[in-house]
Amino acid sequence: MSYWHAFLIAIVEGLTEFLPVSSTGHMVITLALLGIPATAFTKLYLVVIQLGAILSVFAVYWRRFFQSIDFYLKLFVAFLPIVVVGLLLKKHIDALLESVTVVAFMLLVGGIVLMFVDKWFPQEEPTAGGHPVTTPSYKQAFTIGLFQCLAVVPGVSRSAATIIGGLTQKLTRRAAAEFAFFLAMPTMTAAAAKDMLDYYQENPALSSEQIKQLLFGNTIAFVVALIAIRVFVGFVTKYGFRVFGIYRIIVGGILLIMIALGINLNLV
């Protein structure tokens, strides 16, 4: 993988990490279109550069991380389900990362779901107490964490699954999106750490060139995500999720048509 490839993949990661369109799915598609084989390092790269993107959450919301211990406890409760699912299904998840067909199908299905999210969870809908929920309870945080587990399938979108989980718990669009951002930090940090450990157990140590590519990719992903996260929160608060649903349906549909025509996009 060249630095140009690393740059393009990092751009894709930064743009899509916090959008409900599946960053992993888009990176898998990018690998396929660029003709990059799914080696142990490229799989590691897809996960580790997400750290750069999620660091943008701290850069944007750093004050929120110094408010109370309650904030961290709720993140921990929401984080627990994905730990269990991730450990149980790690090998199956890695196998799915090689399939553009799976990504295309899940993009299409997820797009159809997003087409109806605004109707199912209208922004003006009050909670039982008559006030919008901006901070989840522990029970709500755990439920949101269960929704995040759906994102182990490439193409589902961790952001979309977590945000929809927040909306089912009566959080506002902004609160649901922001909690999804915060939850990404322990989730992706743990995923990157686990992938690094697995890599070192089964492969030679990273070369200096590979380490440079990882640092380079994280830097690019951080800068791009820093811009994307600000734009997304304002957009989804005002306009909702329908446009993302349309986008996913178009991309997923095009990919499935290409596959049906015999164009091989799966990574080898």
Side-chain angles (χ1 to χ4, degrees):
M1 183 169 66
S2 68
Y3 275 91
W4 173 243
H5 291 153
F7 175 77
L8 291 177
I9 296 169
I11 290 287
V12 171
E13 161 58 21
L15 287 174
T16 60
E17 176 60 42
F18 301 109
L19 304 184
V21 297
S22 177
S23 61
T24 300
H26 277 70
M27 286 191 289
V28 169
I29 293 169
T30 303
L31 285 180
L33 293 177
L34 293 175
I36 303 172
T39 65
F41 176 70
T42 56
K43 289 181 180 179
L44 179 69
Y45 184 83
L46 295 190
V47 176
V48 173
I49 65 166
Q50 295 180 56
L51 288 175
I54 64 173
L55 280 177
S56 66
V57 176
F58 184 80
V60 174
Y61 296 102
W62 64 271
R63 291 182 179 84
R64 299 279 289 275
F65 289 86
F66 297 96
Q67 290 186 350
S68 69
I69 191 65
D70 184 68
F71 170 80
Y72 292 97
L73 292 176
K74 288 177 179 176
L75 282 183
F76 178 74
V77 168
F79 170 63
L80 285 177
I82 197 67
V83 174
V84 176
V85 172
L87 290 175
L88 291 176
L89 302 179
K90 180 67 168 63
K91 291 185 178 180
H92 300 288
I93 295 169
D94 286 345
L96 290 175
L97 282 174
E98 299 181 21
S99 176
V100 177
T101 303
V102 171
V103 170
F105 180 75
M106 296 313 302
L107 281 172
L108 182 63
V109 172
I112 294 172
V113 172
L114 286 179
M115 291 291 290
F116 297 96
V117 165
D118 294 327
K119 182 177 180 180
W120 293 337
F121 308 106
Q123 183 69 358
E124 67 276 11
E125 182 179 352
T127 64
H131 300 287
V133 178
T134 56
T135 303
S137 65
Y138 285 97
K139 181 179 179 181
Q140 289 171 326
F142 183 75
T143 301
I144 294 171
L146 292 176
F147 272 84
Q148 179 177 234
C149 293
L150 297 173
V152 298
V153 180
V156 169
S157 172
R158 189 205 61 79
S159 179
T162 312
I163 290 173
I164 291 174
L167 294 175
T168 66
Q169 301 307 297
K170 306 301 183 181
L171 269 68
T172 64
R173 289 177 189 163
R174 175 179 289 273
E178 290 180 346
F179 192 78
F181 300 161
F182 300 144
L183 186 54
M185 298 190 75
T187 300
M188 297 316 304
T189 300
K194 182 64 168 62
D195 274 36
M196 288 290 290
L197 178 62
D198 291 344
Y199 183 90
Y200 277 112
Q201 289 177 340
E202 301 176 5
N203 302 276
L206 289 170
S207 66
S208 59
E209 190 67 15
Q210 289 174 326
I211 293 174
K212 289 178 182 178
Q213 284 190 345
L214 288 174
L215 292 174
F216 174 73
N218 273 284
T219 301
I220 298 300
F222 170 80
V223 174
V224 176
L226 196 62
I227 300 170
I229 194 173
R230 293 178 181 275
V231 174
F232 172 67
V233 171
F235 183 90
V236 76
T237 300
K238 186 174 182 179
Y239 298 107
F241 299 93
R242 184 179 176 83
V243 66
F244 298 106
I246 295 173
Y247 170 79
R248 289 179 63 120
I249 290 172
I250 291 173
V251 174
I254 290 174
L255 289 172
L256 288 174
I257 291 173
M258 291 174 68
I259 293 169
L261 291 174
I263 301 174
N264 182 22
L265 294 176
N266 288 332
L267 305 182
V268 294

